[in-house]
């Protein structure tokens, strides 16, 4: 059976690999060291079992499933025969990503598409000056990668649409929801929309109009609640564009158009209050609260995933 090569050994690599393993597609995890690659594979297998196995894997235990996977050092891997897709998941360092893509450009057969999970660097910049940039594209996941269905396939300036379509078809085959972004723009698709919302939300907090907690509730229990059923475009098709257009005339002129972070967020960053990982953001977090909210978040994501699959 054809395999998928996952380059990297962090959290995203493990989640991405788990998505393929759970769907009976073998993976080869290629890390900087054999130890890191082995550890990532073990994590991937745990995640795959957690989200549920399908096909021939469904009756196998972890040991049996592991036998079909490989974990190696990137520079030691020479067997690209049967590779269907390569995805890079290393840390957000442009020079590092460029060096890896240059390595792949020279060693991976030109018929194999290659993606980058970068959330910030455009594939056009990562693959600049490479001979086979036509088969390179962004392939942006969202955490946790093994659960969130969306994968953004982002075409760079030189990406051949044929390779991008191949990647979309592969992700459809494993139950993901790929979207094709036809221009390599900052933030791609989902993050642009998300940051537009966050700019307005943070501006409302900065102006003292609403608390972070009330903004969370306003989103979750109104349009966020509806978006688990249909997206914003379809929702307006249902409710009518005329109502939206009339409201827009009043609302659009008053929306935030700031181009830098609000002072309250800058202050939080300067004080090291980066959220749960620091124990404090807009509010303090105890260890027990972090564990409780993280568990609730995971269970709600699973429930949302089940809702998305209702036909």
């Amino acid at each position: 059976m054809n395999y998928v090569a996952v380059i990297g050994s962090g959290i995203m690599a493990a989640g991405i690999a788990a998505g393929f393993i759970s769907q009976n597609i073998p993976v080869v995890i290629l890390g900087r060291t054999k130890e890191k690659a082995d550890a990532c594979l073990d994590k991937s297998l745990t995640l795959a079992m957690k989200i549920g196995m399908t096909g021939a894997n469904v009756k196998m235990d972890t040991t049996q499933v592991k036998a079909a996977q490989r974990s190696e050092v990137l520079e030691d891997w020479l067997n690209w025969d049967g590779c269907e897709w390569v995805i890079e998941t290393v840390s957000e360092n442009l020079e590092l990503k460029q060096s890896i893509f240059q390595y792949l450009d020279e060693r991976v057969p030109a018929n194999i598409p290659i993606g980058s999970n970068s959330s910030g660097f455009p594939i056009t910049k990562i693959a600049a000056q490479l001979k086979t940039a036509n088969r390179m594209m962004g392939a942006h996941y969202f955490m946790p990668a093994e659960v969130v269905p969306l994968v953004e396939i982002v075409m760079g300036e030189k990406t051949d649409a044929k390779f991008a379509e191949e990647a979309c078809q592969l992700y459809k085959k494993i139950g993901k929801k790929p979207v094709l972004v036809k221009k390599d723009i900052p933030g791609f698709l989902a993050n642009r929309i998300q940051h537009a919302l966050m700019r307005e939300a943070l501006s409302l907090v900065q102006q003292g109009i609403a608390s972070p907690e009330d903004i969370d509730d306003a989103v979750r229990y109104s349009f966020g609640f509806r978006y688990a059923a249909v997206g914003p475009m379809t929702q307006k098709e249902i409710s009518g564009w005329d109502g939206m257009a009339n409201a827009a005339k009043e609302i659009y002129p008053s929306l935030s158009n700031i181009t830098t972070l609000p002072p309250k967020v800058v202050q939080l960053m300067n004080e090291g209050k980066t959220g749960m990982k620091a124990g404090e953001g807009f509010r303090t977090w105890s260890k027990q609260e972090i564990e409780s909210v993280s568990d609730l978040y995971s269970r709600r994501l699973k429930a949302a995933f089940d809702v998305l699959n209702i036909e």
Side-chain angles (χ1 to χ4, degrees):
M1 182 180 295
N2 290 348
Y3 75 89
V4 167
V6 179
I7 299 175
S9 55
I11 294 173
M12 289 301 290
I16 289 170
F20 289 104
I21 293 171
S22 70
Q23 296 295 316
N24 201 34
I25 295 179
V27 301
V28 174
I29 293 178
L30 302 172
R32 285 182 293 180
T33 67
K34 186 67 164 63
E35 292 73 21
K36 287 181 179 293
D38 289 345
C40 183
L41 177 56
D42 288 340
K43 177 67 173 176
S44 299
L45 292 165
T46 299
L47 293 174
M49 293 294 179
K50 185 176 181 180
I51 61 178
M53 311 296 288
T54 62
N57 284 344
V58 73
K59 294 182 180 181
M60 295 183 182
D61 61 25
T62 304
T63 302
Q64 291 172 311
V65 176
K66 185 175 183 178
Q69 323 305 324
R70 295 286 300 272
S71 50
E72 301 287 348
V73 175
L74 173 59
E75 288 79 6
D76 294 342
W77 185 253
L78 303 175
N79 185 16
W80 295 103
D81 293 340
C83 183
E84 187 169 349
W85 170 240
V86 180
I87 179 165
E88 166 271 312
T89 71
V90 302
S91 58
E92 286 292 287
N93 179 299
L94 179 59
E95 290 74 21
L96 175 60
K97 290 180 183 291
Q98 287 175 327
S99 67
I100 289 175
F101 267 73
Q102 183 174 8
Y103 179 88
L104 298 173
D105 181 55
E106 297 169 353
R107 290 166 177 80
V108 178
N111 63 303
I112 299 173
I114 302 174
S116 172
N117 184 50
S118 175
S119 59
F121 299 120
I123 191 65
T124 300
K125 187 174 290 187
I126 294 172
Q129 311 303 318
L130 297 182
K131 298 188 300 293
T132 64
N134 66 307
R135 46 79 174 263
M136 298 174 179
M137 67 202 78
H140 182 225
Y141 279 76
F142 293 78
M143 292 184 68
E146 72 276 9
V147 176
V148 180
L150 187 73
V151 181
E152 295 178 306
I153 301 300
V154 186
M155 296 178 62
E157 292 178 2
K158 297 181 180 179
T159 307
D160 189 322
K162 174 179 73 74
F163 287 110
E165 290 294 344
E166 284 181 14
C168 287
Q169 290 305 313
L170 173 62
Y171 280 112
K172 288 177 182 178
K173 187 164 67 174
I174 66 168
K176 288 293 188 181
K177 182 64 71 171
V179 293
L180 182 60
V181 185
K182 300 176 183 178
K183 188 174 182 179
D184 202 2
I185 56 175
F188 314 139
L189 182 58
N191 269 337
R192 287 183 74 89
I193 298 169
Q194 182 174 238
H195 276 269
L197 183 151
M198 284 305 302
R199 176 167 68 175
E200 186 61 33
L202 291 172
S203 294
L204 292 170
V205 172
Q206 180 67 43
Q207 296 171 58
I209 293 172
S211 68
E213 293 79 12
D214 282 344
I215 287 174
D216 275 354
D217 285 346
V219 172
R220 289 186 60 218
Y221 295 104
S222 61
F223 61 85
F225 177 77
R226 298 188 305 212
Y227 289 169
V230 295
M233 304 299 287
T234 301
Q235 198 282 319
K236 290 308 176 191
E237 291 284 338
I238 293 171
S239 64
W241 289 103
D242 50 342
M244 178 270 178
N246 288 331
K249 294 175 184 177
E250 185 72 23
I251 297 171
Y252 278 16
S254 69
L255 290 175
S256 172
N257 62 0
I258 58 174
T259 58
T260 58
L261 287 171
K264 285 190 176 181
V265 180
V266 174
Q267 182 180 350
L268 285 179
M269 299 299 100
N270 290 339
E271 294 174 355
K273 298 177 181 178
T274 55
M276 285 187 178
K277 62 185 178 183
E280 187 172 2
F282 275 105
R283 52 157 290 186
T284 57
W285 295 93
S286 69
K287 183 178 179 180
Q288 292 74 22
E289 286 175 322
I290 292 171
E291 292 176 354
S292 175
V293 172
S294 297
D295 177 67
L296 183 60
Y297 179 53
S298 295
R299 289 189 285 117
R300 283 174 172 169
L301 282 178
K302 176 62 168 63
F305 184 82
D306 293 338
V307 168
L308 290 174
N309 285 323
I310 294 175
E311 296 292 342

